[in-house]
Amino acid sequence: MAEHPLQFLEIPRRDPEKEAAETRIRHFGEIYGSYDGADAASQAGRCLSCGNPYCEWKCPVHNYIPNWLALIEEGKLFEAADLSHQTNSLPEICGRVCPQDRLCEGDCTINEMGAVSIGNVERYITDEAVAQGWRPDMSGVVDTGKRVAIVGAGPAGLAAADVLARNGVRSVVYDAYPEIGGLLTFGIPPFKLEKRVVRQRRALLEGMGIEFVLNTRIGEDKPFDELLDEFDAVFLGMGTYSCVHGGFQGEELDGVYDALPYLISNIYREEGIEDPAVPHIDLAGRNVVVLGGGDTGMDCNRTAIRQGAQSVSCAYRRDEENMPGSRREVANSKEEGVKFLFNRQPLEIVGGDRVTGVKVIETRLGEAGSDGRRRPETVPGTEEILPADAVLIAFGFRPSPAPWFEDHGIDILPSGRVRVSSLGEHPFQTTNPKVFAGGDMVRGSDLVVTAVFEGREAAMGIASYLGV
Ligand code: SF4
């Protein structure tokens, strides 16, 4: 007899409450197909509740992972959604985009047998709970009458708004883009994060009383002074949007693109957004070289493949072991046909009016630098030219401090990151006491989940500053 995929849910006696919960699990299987439905249920059952929840410690927001896995195993979907939201403001998004192999799943006790697929279960919990009518429970929240302006609707800003709302503080979130999400919407490709998921999160947050004011650039469309006048505090979660360049010859040639404008233009096209300031970059039929080994490089690889590039090669100056990108994304890129060239450092982008190739030199790893990572050293006499008619530069991002920071006493560090108090009375307070900041603009370009964590922590700093 064929094994029933949900057999672990079978119960000895009738229990109407539990049966209703089981129906929710089965319903998930119908929506997402038998693989995902069965997987979510069976994965939850694989957790050993080992008593050493390394997964929780490795998770940047310290999710109560074994606890919500146990709730799913018991069929308590809505309770799992409530618990999941106690520590994470965007669980369905982190479940999709976190590099779990480096975080929670990488430290799962049964990793050698194949870790519990924590990310998949996490996204399932919110996806399915919302589909069945679950909404954040705001019934016990008392309005404090305090209001906070949030600049930037990326992960840090959304997380701050979520925690403030749960503490009775209303917030208005401003963003320059036409939709919320920041890089979640206008950076991460749709094949990794479906944009309907971000829109769904927007609806949930609006349901909690959070207001979004989009297509509005603070400092241009609305002066920062007005925020200081109209609100009790301000949170800055403006991310890092300036692309890092290699500083070598040929980066200005026709056919050479920064990663972010390329990814944004592709998302605009896929989402049907028209903006003359965002021209579409189409790499169909091109021989593409991607420079950089982080997750943005992997996003470029996989987007170029989907656009129909003739070939996509990805050059990285260290070896595969030392790539900063998620292992899963590297594997996905390989599976989709990307050729990796490890230990290759770009020296120059060559061409006349247009790019024709990238001159690279082989490297070997030398001594570790101050960051603990072994430094690549070039091997003389190993230069070669990789033919290319399009090059994507994905060396990462750095902060772009707004000109009005200085006018309002918001100090930045030499790196361009905003200076905040980490141990002071009000965590994440900037040098302007009424202004807080968090996420990439404070810690430098990092993961979605670390921005969520900092947005949440900053919201607690704001709550303490407001005395609520
Ligand atoms: Fe894992 Fe990320 Fe979810 Fe934490 S937030 S449990 S690291 S997928």
Side-chain angles (χ1 to χ4, degrees):
M1 196 174 92
E3 196 179 51
H4 192 290
L6 294 166
Q7 64 178 1
F8 77 92
L9 288 171
E10 284 172 11
I11 48 174
R13 289 193 306 275
R14 287 211 61 185
D15 177 338
E17 211 179 296
K18 193 167 184 185
E19 282 179 7
E22 287 171 8
T23 306
R24 292 187 190 124
I25 299 274
R26 292 198 185 92
H27 178 62
F28 170 76
E30 286 158 19
I31 291 178
Y32 292 83
S34 57
Y35 172 78
D36 279 332
D39 190 51
S42 64
Q43 286 297 313
R46 291 181 65 230
C47 177
L48 299 180
S49 299
C50 54
N52 292 312
Y54 300 115
C55 54
E56 280 190 20
W57 286 107
K58 203 62 182 286
C59 166
V61 290
H62 306 307
N63 273 334
Y64 302 126
I65 298 166
N67 303 65
W68 42 248
L69 288 173
L71 287 170
I72 285 302
E73 194 180 4
E74 292 166 23
K76 295 178 177 169
L77 180 66
F78 283 16
E79 291 88 338
D82 285 331
L83 185 62
S84 168
H85 281 78
Q86 278 187 24
T87 51
N88 194 349
S89 302
L90 307 174
E92 75 287 16
I93 291 172
C94 292
R96 284 172 166 85
V97 303
C98 271
Q100 286 96 5
D101 51 351
R102 287 200 273 132
L103 300 174
C104 52
E105 294 177 19
D107 271 24
C108 176
T109 302
I110 59 169
N111 202 357
E112 285 186 8
M113 294 181 282
V116 175
S117 58
I118 296 166
N120 279 344
V121 178
E122 187 177 24
R123 80 177 184 179
Y124 151 66
I125 290 171
T126 295
D127 283 355
E128 179 56 12
V130 171
Q132 292 190 31
W134 174 89
R135 295 294 179 270
D137 180 9
M138 304 292 284
S139 58
V141 174
V142 178
D143 189 355
T144 62
K146 302 287 186 186
R147 293 174 77 240
V148 170
I150 294 178
V151 184
L158 299 181
D162 172 49
V163 171
L164 288 169
R166 292 171 190 271
N167 284 278
V169 178
R170 288 186 172 265
S171 53
V172 180
V173 186
Y174 295 87
D175 200 282
Y177 280 97
E179 182 53 277
I180 75 159
L183 288 181
L184 299 175
T185 300
F186 298 107
I188 298 176
F191 56 81
K192 265 172 70 179
L193 175 59
E194 314 92 296
K195 304 310 168 190
R196 64 163 180 81
V197 175
V198 184
R199 288 192 286 271
Q200 174 178 278
R201 179 50 63 177
R202 176 179 174 178
L204 290 176
L205 293 170
E206 285 175 334
M208 296 166 70
I210 295 159
E211 186 186 337
F212 292 101
V213 179
L214 304 175
N215 293 308
T216 302
R217 201 174 283 276
I218 299 301
E220 292 177 20
D221 304 313
K222 184 174 178 70
F224 189 66
D225 282 320
E226 287 186 13
L227 300 186
L228 292 175
D229 290 344
E230 293 170 15
F231 293 89
D232 298 295
V234 179
F235 173 74
L236 306 177
M238 298 159 65
T240 49
Y241 280 89
S242 297
C243 294
V244 173
H245 291 122
F248 38 74
Q249 213 178 326
E251 283 185 288
E252 72 298 338
L253 285 178
D254 214 9
V256 180
Y257 308 100
D258 285 334
L260 196 54
Y262 169 64
L263 294 172
I264 292 176
S265 84
N266 187 66
I267 290 166
Y268 269 50
R269 174 60 59 95
E270 290 203 16
E271 291 293 298
I273 302 171
E274 298 287 341
D275 184 346
V278 184
H280 183 56
I281 301 169
D282 186 358
L283 300 186
R286 304 279 193 91
N287 291 300
V288 181
V289 171
V290 176
L291 300 178
D295 282 340
T296 305
M298 302 310 114
D299 291 346
C300 289
N301 286 335
R302 301 181 68 199
T303 299
I305 290 276
R306 281 163 177 74
Q307 285 189 337
Q310 174 79 23
S311 69
V312 180
S313 304
C314 181
Y316 177 58
R317 64 193 184 132
R318 291 184 170 93
D319 58 13
E320 183 166 7
E321 180 77 6
N322 286 283
M323 283 185 94
S326 146
R327 301 251 181 284
R328 184 181 62 193
E329 285 306 301
V330 174
N332 287 337
S333 292
K334 282 183 182 171
E335 205 171 282
E336 291 170 8
V338 174
K339 180 181 172 195
F340 280 88
L341 300 158
F342 297 109
N343 295 106
R344 302 290 205 297
Q345 181 164 316
L347 296 175
E348 180 187 344
I349 298 177
V350 295
D353 292 340
R354 279 194 62 82
V355 57
T356 56
V358 181
K359 188 175 185 183
V360 295
I361 187 167
E362 282 186 28
T363 63
R364 61 181 161 230
L365 291 180
E367 294 298 311
S370 56
D371 58 0
R373 300 180 70 198
R374 292 175 66 193
R375 297 227 170 274
E377 295 170 351
T378 56
V379 180
T382 58
E383 294 90 344
E384 63 175 317
I385 291 184
L386 310 174
D389 42 27
V391 174
L392 295 169
I393 297 188
F395 292 146
F397 307 104
R398 54 187 168 72
S400 16
W404 41 264
F405 285 6
E406 195 177 342
D407 301 340
H408 294 91
I410 301 166
D411 283 2
I412 55 171
L413 299 164
S415 61
R417 292 182 289 128
V418 173
R419 184 194 298 276
V420 297
S421 79
S422 51
L423 300 171
E425 196 184 350
H426 311 303
F428 292 89
Q429 191 173 39
T430 70
T431 42
N432 179 330
K434 198 171 178 179
V435 181
F436 291 70
D440 286 2
M441 69 186 299
V442 167
R443 71 156 51 222
S445 195
D446 208 329
L447 301 173
V448 169
V449 65
T450 50
V452 168
F453 176 73
E454 293 206 341
R456 294 177 62 87
E457 292 290 298
M460 296 313 293
I462 293 170
S464 91
Y465 168 74
L466 297 176
V468 298

